[in-house]
Amino acid sequence: MAEAEITMRLAQRADAAALLAFLQGVAPESDAILLPGLDRVTVAEEAVRLSAVADRDDCLILLACLGPEIVGVLTIMNLAATPGVGEMGLVIAKRYWHQGIGRLLMEEGQYWFENYSTLDQLMLTVFDHNIWGKKLYQDIGFQTVGTLLEPAADGQVKPATKMVYP
């Protein structure tokens, strides 16, 4: 039997239940997943959010799937307080870490940013202990612009690096 391949596609309204289940399942795997109230979001609310993002050129939700299973998500959300800047977020299920899925999603996100979005810049924050993530972001062109202390999902405040592209 042939190995299944990772496919990437834009999240759609119909993905609401699967996306919520994915996020709720991976949240305990990393201290970087900060989604307050995730356990209270309904499928209907998530479907509305996905529909709203699909119609915008300053936001993106991209899914990495192995067959029907979501194994990773890349989000780019415009920052209301900083017009023209989109904040990137990347989540990969732990059992798929270090297999190139994060790089694929990031590169697709960059392509969307450069060819389709109205954003001027991408920004992300990465915890300093996430050495693999920092290396990936640097390898694909993100530049360090500062350091800060950020709250983590485990309730601790940890050193982090702010990065921008281009």
Side-chain angles (χ1 to χ4, degrees), residues 57-132:
D57 59 8
D58 62 353
C59 295
L60 174 74
I61 301 175
L62 186 63
L63 307 177
C65 300
L66 184 61
E69 178 189 8
I70 297 172
V71 297
V73 178
L74 174 82
T75 59
I76 300 175
M77 297 293 150
N78 71 318
L79 295 175
T82 313
V85 177
E87 182 175 29
M88 259 184 146
L90 178 65
V91 179
I92 308 296
K94 190 171 187 173
R95 67 186 175 278
Y96 296 103
W97 287 2
H98 310 295
Q99 295 182 33
I101 297 167
R103 179 175 296 275
L104 289 171
L105 282 167
M106 291 294 293
E107 289 173 349
E108 285 296 316
Q110 283 178 301
Y111 183 83
W112 171 85
F113 167 73
E114 293 169 352
N115 294 283
Y116 299 104
S117 87
T118 57
L119 296 169
D120 301 316
Q121 188 174 59
L122 297 176
M123 183 275 299
L124 60 82
T125 303
V126 58
F127 286 118
D128 287 350
H129 67 266
N130 184 353
I131 298 164
W132 290 101

Side-chain angles (χ1 to χ4, degrees), residues 9-10 13 18 35 38 40 44 47 50-51 56-57 65 74 78-79 87 101 105 109 116 127 143 157 160-161 164-165:
R9 62 182 177 78
L10 297 175
R13 183 181 186 89
L35 300 169
L38 179 62
R40 295 185 304 274
L50 291 174
S51 290
R56 298 180 63 159
D57 59 8
C65 300
L74 174 82
N78 71 318
L79 295 175
E87 182 175 29
I101 297 167
L105 282 167
Y116 299 104
F127 286 118
Q143 301 293 316
V157 175
T161 299
V164 297
Y165 178 89

Side-chain angles (χ1 to χ4, degrees), residues 31-34 125 127 148-160:
D31 63 354
I33 301 173
L34 300 169
T125 303
F127 286 118
L148 59 156
L149 294 173
E150 281 286 303
D154 63 8
Q156 297 182 31
V157 175
K158 299 180 180 182

